[in-house]
Amino acid sequence: MKSADEYAVVCRDVEKWFGEGDSRVHALRGVDLEIRLGELAMLAGPSGCGKTTLLCVIAGLLDKSAGELAVLGEIPDQMGKQERILFRRRNLGFVFQQYNLLPALTAAENIAVPLLLAGVNRTDAVAQGGRMLAELGLEQRASHLPAQLSGGQQQRVAIGRALVHKPRLLICDEPTSALDAATGRSVMELLSEVAVRPGRAVIVVTHDSRVFDFADTIAHMDDGRIQNVDFGASRPGPRGSPEARSYTGSPMSPSNVTEVSGFGR
């Protein structure tokens, strides 16, 4: 397996099936994938291609059926159930298509929920939630309930909730599909600016081609397999690398993408 100092996720020939015998359904068919720290990586493909299943396997919400998987240098297969839960709580953040905000809590309180679950006292947790809102450009909305926020603002709060405990891996399942084009791009700009860090990877599952240019890597899936991987040809390395920090060019776009099969980056 690759070094945990460089790679957030490494999949080798990962398979996932449901059922047995004649009723067995294959959702993942030998997936090979590497996601480096400092990257915003996308899993793209049509509905039913296996991208959300792969995301759930990486997140430890589903067990793989075969193959090898390492997440942040750890082997989920070697963890007990409670150890996996604690690992997820400490190291992973989740953003979903549905915002899943608690309607009776303010924006700052919603962001504070992961901290409260980790045992941080309420005053400190809500104060940290307020600081995160300021970073997201929503400082004036700290006391607003979800029903008083627009869809884009609610998604920003959901992103803040996912980031407040400083996870090393942020997992986003269709974060822009419920938003109009302008708001969706605003959310992706926010993820690029706030979520991507040298020691953190961001994985976005999407079929929204409008936001592909925000990715450092796009793994295209179909029929449970990675069909090809696109890299930004003019980006010399992931954003956390010294090369990327000195890079001043454009993010990936259709005109500067190199298409490759397999890995070996």
Side-chain angles (χ1 to χ4, degrees), residues 10 19 32-33 36 38 49 55 68 77 87-88 103 110 132 157 161 182 186 189 202 206 215 231 238 245 254 257:
V10 179
D32 290 317
L33 180 66
R36 299 169 72 175
C49 72
L55 195 74
E68 298 178 66
D77 286 351
F87 178 80
R88 254 195 325 268
N110 265 286
M132 177 60 71
V157 173
R161 180 183 57 194
S186 175
E189 287 170 359
V202 179
T206 186
F231 301 115
R245 284 197 292 271
V257 168

Side-chain angles (χ1 to χ4, degrees), residues 17-145:
W17 59 75
F18 300 93
E20 296 296 338
D22 293 340
S23 63
R24 178 181 289 185
V25 176
H26 282 266
L28 300 177
R29 303 171 181 266
V31 170
D32 290 317
L33 180 66
E34 296 172 351
I35 297 174
R36 299 169 72 175
L37 290 166
E39 279 189 339
L40 193 159
M42 291 187 182
L43 300 177
S47 296
C49 72
K51 57 187 186 294
T52 296
T53 300
L54 178 57
L55 195 74
C56 289
V57 168
I58 291 170
L61 302 174
L62 286 175
D63 292 328
K64 62 180 176 56
S65 302
E68 298 178 66
L69 171 66
V71 180
L72 300 172
E74 302 291 338
I75 310 298
D77 286 351
Q78 298 176 355
M79 298 181 187
K81 181 178 179 180
Q82 188 62 28
E83 191 177 0
R84 283 196 198 190
I85 292 172
L86 292 175
F87 178 80
R88 254 195 325 268
R89 185 180 297 170
R90 295 188 189 109
N91 295 290
L92 273 64
F94 295 89
V95 178
F96 302 100
Q97 177 180 348
Q98 302 301 322
Y99 317 124
N100 297 324
L101 302 180
L102 298 174
L105 299 185
T106 66
E109 290 167 341
N110 265 286
I111 289 181
V113 166
L115 300 175
L116 295 171
L117 293 174
V120 178
N121 74 70
R122 188 181 184 283
T123 299
D124 289 344
V126 174
Q128 289 186 53
R131 289 193 291 272
M132 177 60 71
L133 278 173
E135 191 170 351
L136 300 173
L138 291 177
E139 186 174 11
Q140 304 305 316
R141 306 292 185 186
S143 61
H144 285 55
L145 298 174

Side-chain angles (χ1 to χ4, degrees), residues 179-196:
L179 304 173
D180 62 71
T183 305
R185 289 190 65 83
S186 175
V187 165
M188 289 308 305
E189 287 170 359
L190 181 69
L191 283 172
S192 296
E193 294 168 3
V194 176
V196 180

